[in-house]
Amino acid sequence: MSTTTASAPAVEPAAVAKTPRPQRARRRRRLSQWGFIAPAVVFMLLFFGYPLVRNVVMSFQDFSPSTFFDGKSPFNGTDNWSKVFEDDLFGKALWHTIVFTIGSLIGQFGIGLALAVFFTKKFPLNGFLRSLILLPWLVPMVVSGIVWRRILDQDTGVLNSFFDTLGLGGGHTPWLTSPSMALFSVIMVNIWIGIPFNMVILYGGLQEIPKELYEAASLDGASAWRTFRSITLPLLKPVITVVLVLGFMSTVKILDLILALTDGGPADSTQTLGTLTYQNSFVQLDFGAGAVVGNVLILISAVFAVFYLRANRSEGK
Amino acid sequence: MTAVPPPDATRAKRRRTGRRARRAAAPLTVVSALVATVALAGCGQQRDDDVYTVLNSSTDDSYHSWDAATLKRCSAQLGITIEQQSVPAAQVMTKSLRMASSKSLPDVIQFDASEMPTFAEPGGLVDLRTLGLSTQDIPKGIVDFGSYKGTYYGAARTVNTLALFYNKDLLKKAGLPVPTTWDEMRETAKKLTQGKQYGIALSAGGAEDGVFQFTPFMWSNGGDETELDSKNVAGALDYWKGLLKDGSLSKSTVNWTQADVNDQFMAGNAAMMINGPWQVETLNTKKSLHWGIAQIPVPKTGDKSVGPLGGAILTVPNTGDTAREKTAAKIIQCMSSEKEQITYARNSWMVPANEKAAAIWRKEVPELDALADQVATARSRTAKVGAGWSSVSLALQSAFQSALTGQNSAAALKKAQARATSGN
């Protein structure tokens, strides 16, 4: 940014007059290009670059409530890191995050794709049903969480009562109250929330596929499965990548849903890296330790972003 | 901001007038200027001389209006304007810390007493005694409740604790007396468990609610937060496990907040519950429910029932402006005066902190006598561990949840003790 403003007066005014036309035009274009880019660069540096760097630095500092008063946050080497990594809870939270993310993505994407394909068919009430499925997306995450907590209550929840009336009660299922079930239930709820997003984007992608290809396939006598595998999937690939990467980014950092459903419990069985960051930073007010977990989350996301960019680049060729 | 033309408009005009495109760098300057203005505006907040701010967590409609009425009376009495700023309870601490770093602290902050040490430790609060507030007529337990390391930082208007709420009709129908010991409570709960109705409900949730509810069992059994792996703490946890094993307590308890527990009790899904007076307002909305209140049962006859002291305290943050701090203390004095305490207690069903006010209040609501007695022997969570409470609390909630879902109590608590001490 400083180069554009500093170099500008240097060429003025005599130099400008002497330079030949094409060169002047090129320079003018270059400068205006920079003018367009600069605000974005400044924005990125301020709102993404600074917090990112600050978070990394903070993870090497003793950043406690007293820092807010005296502004002192002495560097403490890798103390925060070793403290976080030595805690069993970190390993648990990392594992839960992996299971949660993979489980959610498979469920959301699988059901979302099935529904998207289903809705490409013409049938009565298609549009109405499609908009109905969007509902989970419109409800705020915390509201869904609280409603689902009631639905999944072991004794008074609607879900268990429903199984009761079907005669499938057989001892109430401890959806959220057993440490071995809770993570599974939380994943289920997150799948429910994520289906609309997956469906909408994939449905949009399906609309882009030329109808002629399907006609040609049916003339060739291709089966439904073959058509799906050889036409739908390959042509949908760019959209699939986008859906999965966006889904990954929003799932891996999950916090609000878990806080509303289980608060990380019972017995830490639904603690994820997101809830651990929250707990360290905002319950224990140990911002250094919180930053460590936050950095791990960023690192995981960064690795996937690289994969995404590479996939995009190879497609571009 | 409106004075600065948007970058695109500037650009279009320049091009039309045929000026050099080099000026395209203008948007950059505009953006930088905007950013600088916004950043600077965020810092120095202007203080108005006659306007004072009280930061509290009264986001709930009724609490907000009660406080507004109190502040209106105090404004008139002191000849100043007092504004109320309410944020959710979980954000009071982080908001205050941010305000401390940007030097824009309010004049009075209402903290949950268990959080106060965290703010007092780095010197964020002013000693109320030096500002002229007296602790006369306030029981020692409640003075300690608002103190950290011997300094009195916070004045309570009212305090609360936990008690045993019971459904009078159900107990009467079963011909059972109100339990006073652990064994009696376990028996009573067992007998009252039938069909969809559980004998007792309590919160063992994975947050402060659950820990708050565990403390009366831990403390009445001689346990202590500094030694989570002691036999007495394990005994209290085993007692909870026993209630679960009998089937008198729903397994959902590990997922319940105290508000959920109240819902269960009101819906008739539980014959007794452990809860606090802040639920009374809601309980009274159901006219057909006849509830009674008693002290939390003790391990053996003759033991003392020790409940956790809860509630908010009014503090003066350290702004360095002595004149304003003195006025802030006067605001607190007004808010916690005998008269205001009684008014607040009548609204919120909590017990006035001042002895004289409490005596008057007791006569008005004899049905809450048991609660007032429980408050008299209650203790604060932070008296022993101070700012380390959050670590203890996190370790403890993880431990009792593990134990209630199958693990051995002693093993879970041993781990909790290790975690609690490493976190400090």
Side-chain angles (χ1 to χ4, degrees), chain A residues 178-247:
Chain A
S178 143
S180 50
M181 279 293 287
L183 188 60
F184 171 77
S185 308
V186 174
I187 292 173
M188 285 298 141
V189 176
N190 193 47
I191 289 176
W192 176 81
I193 291 171
I195 288 172
F197 170 74
N198 282 264
M199 192 200 80
V200 166
I201 310 273
L202 292 170
Y203 180 80
L206 286 173
Q207 301 294 312
E208 298 288 305
I209 301 176
K211 296 277 172 295
E212 298 79 32
L213 291 175
Y214 289 106
E215 282 165 21
S218 74
L219 283 178
D220 288 345
S223 66
W225 172 239
R226 183 65 207 250
T227 314
F228 178 76
R229 231 186 50 201
S230 303
I231 298 176
T232 313
L233 268 188
L235 286 171
L236 206 56
K237 210 180 140 205
V239 180
I240 291 176
T241 324
V242 170
V243 164
L244 285 181
V245 169
L246 290 180

Side-chain angles (χ1 to χ4, degrees), chain A residues 1-2 4-5 8-9 11-13 16 28-29 31-36 38-39 42-43 46-47 65-69 83 87-89 92 149-150 153-156 161 174 176-179 261-268 271 278-287, chain B residues 8 11 15 19-25 27-29 31-32 35 90 93-94 96-98 100-103 105 118-119 122-125 196 198 206-207 250-257 259-260 263-264 269 318 390-392 394 397-398 401-403 405 415 419 422-423:
Chain A
M1 46 186 269
S2 57
T4 42
T5 42
V11 287
E12 184 173 38
V16 176
R28 190 184 296 169
R29 204 165 55 233
L31 276 171
S32 66
Q33 277 167 355
W34 267 107
F36 277 107
V42 173
F43 179 81
L46 265 174
F47 294 103
S66 68
T67 309
F68 289 89
F69 292 93
K83 191 177 135 194
D87 191 355
D88 313 341
L89 204 52
K92 265 196 202 170
R149 197 155 66 89
R150 303 240 155 168
D153 189 280
Q154 192 170 351
D155 298 304
T156 52
S161 312
L176 294 173
T177 49
S178 143
L261 273 175
T262 61
D263 238 324
D268 295 323
Q271 290 276 12
Y278 173 80
Q279 211 173 67
N280 279 327
S281 293
F282 298 109
V283 179
Q284 287 196 286
L285 301 171
D286 184 346
F287 297 92
Chain B
D8 288 342
R11 179 193 302 277
R15 198 161 290 158
R19 278 223 176 121
R20 285 184 204 96
R22 184 184 307 131
R23 300 273 180 96
L28 168 71
T29 333
V31 168
S32 317
V35 166
M93 177 55 74
T94 44
S96 307
L97 286 174
R98 266 184 285 129
S101 76
S102 63
K103 310 264 179 261
L105 280 164
T118 310
F119 208 78
L125 298 176
K196 281 189 79 174
Y198 283 93
S250 166
K251 287 196 171 108
S252 299
T253 183
V254 291
N255 205 25
W256 281 344
T257 62
D260 293 330
D263 287 347
Q264 295 293 330
N269 295 331
N318 187 355
S390 64
S391 299
V392 171
L394 282 176
Q397 49 195 259
S398 173
Q401 290 214 321
S402 303
T405 51
K415 220 168 117 191
R419 239 181 101 184
S422 77

Side-chain angles (χ1 to χ4, degrees), chain B residues 160-175:
Chain B
N160 64 59
T161 187
L162 291 169
L164 178 74
F165 287 72
Y166 56 92
N167 187 318
K168 281 184 176 166
D169 297 341
L170 290 176
L171 258 76
K172 206 168 156 192
K173 209 168 77 191

